[in-house]
Amino acid sequence: MAWKGGMLFAVPPHYTSQECPECHHVAADNRQTQARFVCVQCHYENHADHVGAINIKERGYRLLACGDAALSRSVKQEPTEVSQLSSGMQ
Ligand SMILES: [Zn+2]
């Protein structure tokens, strides 16, 4: 089965199938079998492929949120530079 995600941004795939989407505990023991995910800390249960998909999606949203914050920060910095220039001319 050839499954390809439609993600355009790069998401680090490390431990996505070993990290609990509930408590974010990462352990190889969370992966009981190839198909079964059971968290050793909070006992969250799901299909291992589904857990991996949830984690990849969450990392993607986190990257997008960081990008938005960086953009709004750079916009706010511009008027400060302009006022510094005009005060230097007086
Ligand atoms: Zn957990």
Side-chain angles (χ1 to χ4, degrees), residues 19-26 29-32 37-46:
E19 183 180 336
C20 173
E22 279 295 307
C23 69
H24 299 285
H25 181 72
V26 179
D29 290 342
N30 285 353
R31 196 71 177 268
Q32 297 273 308
F37 179 97
V38 182
C39 179
V40 292
Q41 189 160 281
C42 73
H43 306 293
Y44 171 89
E45 280 187 53
N46 213 328

Side-chain angles (χ1 to χ4, degrees), residues 36-84:
R36 195 87 203 129
F37 179 97
V38 182
C39 179
V40 292
Q41 189 160 281
C42 73
H43 306 293
Y44 171 89
E45 280 187 53
N46 213 328
H47 194 280
D49 287 345
H50 191 63
V51 168
I54 291 170
N55 286 331
I56 286 169
K57 219 161 103 180
E58 282 205 351
R59 284 175 196 212
Y61 284 140
R62 248 175 270 161
L63 283 176
L64 284 175
C66 288
D68 282 353
L71 271 176
S72 60
R73 217 176 292 144
S74 67
V75 168
K76 276 179 192 167
Q77 273 172 2
E78 274 176 49
T80 315
E81 284 172 33
V82 171
S83 63
Q84 276 172 351

